[in-house]
Amino acid sequence: MDQFGIRDAFDIAIAGLLLFYLYRIMKESGTLNIFFGVLAFIVVWVLTYQILELKLIGSILDKFMGIGLRVLVILFQDQIKRFLVELGDHKRWRFLKALFRHEKHRDKGDARKYVLPIVYACMNMAKTKTGALIVVRQEMSLESYERSGDIIDADINSRLIENIFFKNSPLHDGAMIIDHDRIRSAGCILPVSHDRDIPRSLGLRHRSALGISQATDAFAIVVSEETGNIRVAHRGKMTPPISSTDLEHRLSEALAAG
């Protein structure tokens, strides 16, 4: 019998880390029971096929494993995307990037020039209960979503933002995408989150904001048309209503780190 070595411990550690990430993501999305069900199925499969060597039941379960993996990929594609986004987070691998190139990060003073017009626009739209959805790019490209709307490519300006989301504007229903110091496009179509724990009082804008934050590392700001509340979605989570000061702080941190 082979002895338990460092390679085996490393193998178990990697498998445990992957299971932990999968557990955390499925817990956040409300599908934890399915996670435990799949885990129980895998344990039974390993026990019957690998340990007890029950040929018949083991071969049946083996066939189910092949089909089941394909079904799981289809059913949980949003959760898989979120897992890959978190795994590929540039902040986790920044030390590797630094070995190959010098990264330039904007300081908070530089980011503030772009933050304030966005915050002012959101404040004014919140007062008038003008619905808005603004997506700020981080590391991942949003080019495919930009092409779904009308290209603007303009400087960030609070009045321009308010005019685009004005109720009679043809672009007010879609999302605005901001890439660094430019408004790239407006009227964009975003992926919609299907999480069951989203309150029913939140509409399509909030689901779209959460959806883009699950599919990418983008920072999404929502102004409610019904209440005037401002919320932020980032990394698959949405905040409760926040103040303009909190919005400025969160956005400054996100832009300075981008």
Side-chain angles (χ1 to χ4, degrees), residues 21 85-98 101 103 105 138-140 217-219 234-235 250-258:
Y21 267 103
V85 167
E86 289 198 8
L87 188 62
D89 182 7
H90 74 286
K91 294 179 182 178
R92 301 175 191 273
W93 309 105
R94 185 173 291 168
F95 70 97
L96 290 177
K97 289 187 177 183
R101 63 182 176 88
E103 286 192 328
H105 299 282
Q138 295 289 274
E139 184 76 5
M140 296 179 64
D217 61 348
F219 188 95
H234 192 218
R235 300 196 180 283
R250 290 171 181 266
L251 194 51
S252 297
E253 290 292 330
L255 287 176

Side-chain angles (χ1 to χ4, degrees), residues 201-236:
S201 58
L202 302 183
L204 185 59
R205 280 195 183 93
H206 294 84
R207 288 186 172 273
S208 297
L210 194 58
I212 193 67
S213 74
Q214 291 172 346
T216 70
D217 61 348
F219 188 95
I221 307 167
V222 188
V223 180
S224 173
E225 190 173 359
E226 287 73 26
T227 63
N229 290 331
I230 301 174
R231 296 174 186 260
V232 167
H234 192 218
R235 300 196 180 283

Side-chain angles (χ1 to χ4, degrees), residues 116-218:
L116 291 180
I118 300 174
V119 174
Y120 288 151
C122 290
M123 287 173 55
N124 292 333
M125 290 187 293
K127 291 177 182 177
T128 59
K129 293 186 179 180
T130 301
L133 174 52
I134 302 173
V135 179
V136 181
R137 177 189 168 178
Q138 295 289 274
E139 184 76 5
M140 296 179 64
S141 173
L142 301 175
E143 186 177 353
S144 60
Y145 302 109
E146 292 174 11
R147 291 198 300 265
S148 68
D150 291 328
I151 301 299
I152 295 178
D153 195 23
D155 292 333
I156 299 176
N157 182 283
S158 58
R159 289 190 177 182
L160 176 58
I161 295 174
E162 291 177 50
N163 285 333
I164 288 175
F165 288 110
F166 183 67
K167 293 181 180 180
N168 292 331
S169 168
L171 299 177
H172 80 281
D173 276 335
M176 173 186 291
I177 295 181
I178 293 178
D179 186 349
H180 294 92
D181 59 342
R182 307 288 290 176
I183 299 175
R184 293 299 180 189
S185 58
C188 302
I189 300 172
L190 303 181
V192 178
S193 174
H194 298 285
D195 284 5
R196 296 180 180 179
D197 56 349
I198 301 177
R200 293 186 178 181
S201 58
L202 302 183
L204 185 59
R205 280 195 183 93
H206 294 84
R207 288 186 172 273
S208 297
L210 194 58
I212 193 67
S213 74
Q214 291 172 346
T216 70
D217 61 348

Side-chain angles (χ1 to χ4, degrees), residues 240-257:
I242 61 175
S243 66
S244 57
T245 303
D246 195 10
L247 173 62
E248 180 183 350
H249 174 73
R250 290 171 181 266
L251 194 51
S252 297
E253 290 292 330
L255 287 176

